[in-house]
Amino acid sequence: GDKMPEFGMPEYVDTWMKIYKDENLEKVGKELAPDLDLVMGTLTPAKPEVGLDEDLCMLMKLEKGVLTEVKYVKKEEAEKATLLVTMPYDQAKSLFSSAAGGKAPDLIPMVMSGKIKVKGDMAKLMKYAGAMPKLMPIMLGLLGKVETIWPDEYPPDKLEDFKARLKKKRQELGV
């Protein structure tokens, strides 16, 4: 059967997209934010003790409110996105876990306190300020539906194995 995807592995983002389509979330996005075109990068800074030897970056494309692509990318590509969200591993884990528990976290205080850093084209972002709060819970709820294996929960030998596999995957993907 399917094993649960590990955070950082390609299966993780593939599972996202599959759930997004299965749950028909395209329709929701189209209705809530029909004019939202956004390329968003995320950066999870390196933290070797949890399995991330290097920064891990993702790119998400939204077209007319619809998520069309999620993939791992090189840092330079993530930094070119309209919006770059930097979120430490522990923060990401607690956010996604609370989303999994059905609670859509309020991101604003986290941004204000600097736990999550957001940089990019703020003017463009302001234009979408009305749609973003409506879409965010959906995106986070989607994350919450991906049952994730968090590598920091592995015993040391499995963690080393994870690091080696992640390194190999990243080489294959060129990220």
Side-chain angles (χ1 to χ4, degrees), residues 54-67:
E54 296 172 63
D55 293 350
L56 185 70
C57 297
M58 267 198 229
L59 201 68
M60 295 174 216
K61 281 190 184 149
L62 284 157
E63 290 171 35
K64 299 190 175 25
V66 175
L67 183 68

Side-chain angles (χ1 to χ4, degrees), residues 77-120:
E77 197 177 336
E79 285 172 339
K80 277 193 216 119
T82 315
L83 184 65
L84 178 67
V85 179
T86 301
M87 194 187 297
Y89 177 88
D90 303 327
Q91 202 66 41
K93 184 179 174 181
S94 73
L95 253 183
F96 299 172
S97 305
S98 66
K103 294 190 290 289
D106 187 359
L107 297 178
I108 306 298
M110 293 179 190
V111 173
M112 291 300 179
S113 65
K115 283 183 178 149
I116 297 175
K117 292 184 178 58
V118 179
K119 64 177 208 205

